[in-house]
């Protein structure tokens, strides 16, 4: 089994969009999921995880307001993803919130 640490970054879009998909034959542990407001004024951040096995989508965060020039953690503890699971993120405006995720992929 190989363990690979990775960082995934995106400027949150204004509509639901896939941020990360757990690859086939891989388990992923989300170590950190952070949202930073780099825009103007406060903006909400939304994040969901799709459990591809159960076909169920649940919120990690829903419309949490991120103050101007501040950052918040969206995952308390660890989040485990199985092959095909998807994390999606979005805000209310384009390029106002930067999202960073630190992960460990186990193959």
């Amino acid at each position: 089994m190989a363990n690979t640490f990775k960082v995934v970054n995106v400027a949150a879009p204004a509509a639901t969009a896939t941020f990360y998909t757990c690859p086939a034959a891989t388990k992923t542990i989300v170590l950190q999921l952070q949202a930073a407001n780099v825009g103007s004024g406060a903006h909400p951040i939304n994040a969901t995880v799709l459990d591809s096995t159960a076909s169920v989508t649940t919120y990690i965060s829903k419309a949490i307001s991120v103050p101007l020039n501040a950052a918040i953690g969206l995952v308390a503890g660890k989040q485990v993803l199985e092959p095909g699971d998807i994390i999606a993120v979005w805000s209310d405006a384009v390029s106002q919130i930067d999202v960073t995720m630190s992960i460990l992929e186990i193959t």
Side-chain angles (χ1 to χ4, degrees):
M1 291 179 111
N3 296 332
T4 307
F5 288 98
K6 293 185 177 181
V7 175
V8 184
N9 300 295
V10 70
T16 305
T18 297
F19 175 47
Y20 175 81
T21 302
C22 185
T26 303
K27 301 274 180 148
T28 298
I29 299 172
V30 177
L31 304 170
Q32 177 204 29
L33 180 59
Q34 179 174 292
N37 186 336
V38 297
S40 56
H43 291 279
I45 185 69
N46 300 283
T48 58
V49 61
L50 167 65
D51 179 341
S52 62
T53 303
S55 296
V56 173
T57 299
T58 55
Y59 276 92
I60 296 171
S61 69
K62 185 173 182 181
I64 295 177
S65 182
V66 182
L68 178 61
N69 298 325
I72 61 169
L74 302 177
V75 172
K78 312 283 187 286
Q79 176 82 39
V80 177
L81 304 175
E82 297 175 332
D85 289 356
I86 296 171
I87 291 185
V89 296
W90 69 99
S91 186
D92 65 343
V94 175
S95 299
Q96 299 296 303
I97 303 287
D98 282 349
V99 180
T100 301
M101 183 170 70
S102 298
I103 59 174
L104 172 62
E105 288 184 338
I106 304 167
T107 56

